Amino acid sequence: MKSLGEVIRQRRLSMNLTLDQLATLIDSSKSYLSKLENDHFEKPKPSTLRKVAKQLNMNYNDLLLHTSYVDKDEASWITPTATYFEIDSILENVGNVVMVQGKVLDMVERKKLIKMVELLFDLD
């Protein structure tokens, strides 16, 4: 799997954008983007990743997959297998029990789910 920096650099170059141009578009600095592209950040701010994704016409979740926010071995659930799905068929809350596709989540899994929701909606 490519690193986050490689993915961003490749996409930026394919769009013929300089570091300065992208930095201006996301209200950041050229030096910050250079560090990001050279993988000096293990966990860049989700808000920055959202801006980068938007300006490079990329999917935010795809960028998240290249960070250490997500365990790559357990990341298959982030990308839906179907184009459209009903959230109620995947996630349900019955009393104090949270279930994903019929499986009851333990506390560790619930915390992971909450963290992913926070990242997806930039709630941190």
Side-chain angles (χ1 to χ4, degrees):
M1 181 181 280
K2 291 182 181 179
S3 72
L4 176 64
E6 290 172 318
V7 170
I8 292 172
R9 180 183 298 112
Q10 184 178 29
R11 180 65 177 163
R12 177 181 61 78
L13 293 174
S14 75
M15 294 179 72
N16 294 317
L17 287 172
T18 66
L19 279 173
D20 282 325
Q21 290 169 325
L22 183 56
T24 299
L25 289 171
I26 67 166
D27 194 30
S28 185
S29 68
K30 178 180 176 179
S31 64
Y32 178 85
L33 281 177
S34 177
K35 289 176 184 175
L36 185 62
E37 286 189 359
N38 287 298
D39 297 312
H40 291 202
F41 299 111
E42 195 172 294
K43 291 185 175 182
K45 290 182 180 179
S47 58
T48 301
L49 281 182
R50 279 193 185 283
K51 291 176 185 178
V52 169
K54 180 179 179 183
Q55 294 304 322
L56 296 180
N57 296 320
M58 299 179 76
N59 183 295
Y60 172 71
N61 292 343
D62 290 342
L63 284 184
L64 269 183
L65 289 173
H66 295 278
T67 69
S68 61
Y69 285 116
V70 178
D71 181 347
K72 275 68 169 172
D73 296 330
E74 298 178 8
S76 62
W77 66 273
I78 292 175
T79 306
T81 54
T83 305
Y84 300 101
F85 59 90
E86 292 289 327
I87 193 68
D88 291 342
S89 69
I90 295 174
L91 178 65
E92 49 185 312
N93 184 2
V94 182
N96 289 329
V97 176
V98 176
M99 297 173 64
V100 175
Q101 293 181 325
K103 180 187 181 277
V104 177
L105 300 184
D106 63 27
M107 286 308 289
V108 171
E109 293 166 327
R110 288 168 102 177
K111 287 179 183 178
K112 284 181 182 179
L113 178 63
I114 290 168
K115 183 63 177 173
M116 288 307 303
V117 169
E118 288 172 345
L119 289 170
L120 290 172
F121 293 101
D122 200 16
L123 300 174
D124 59 338

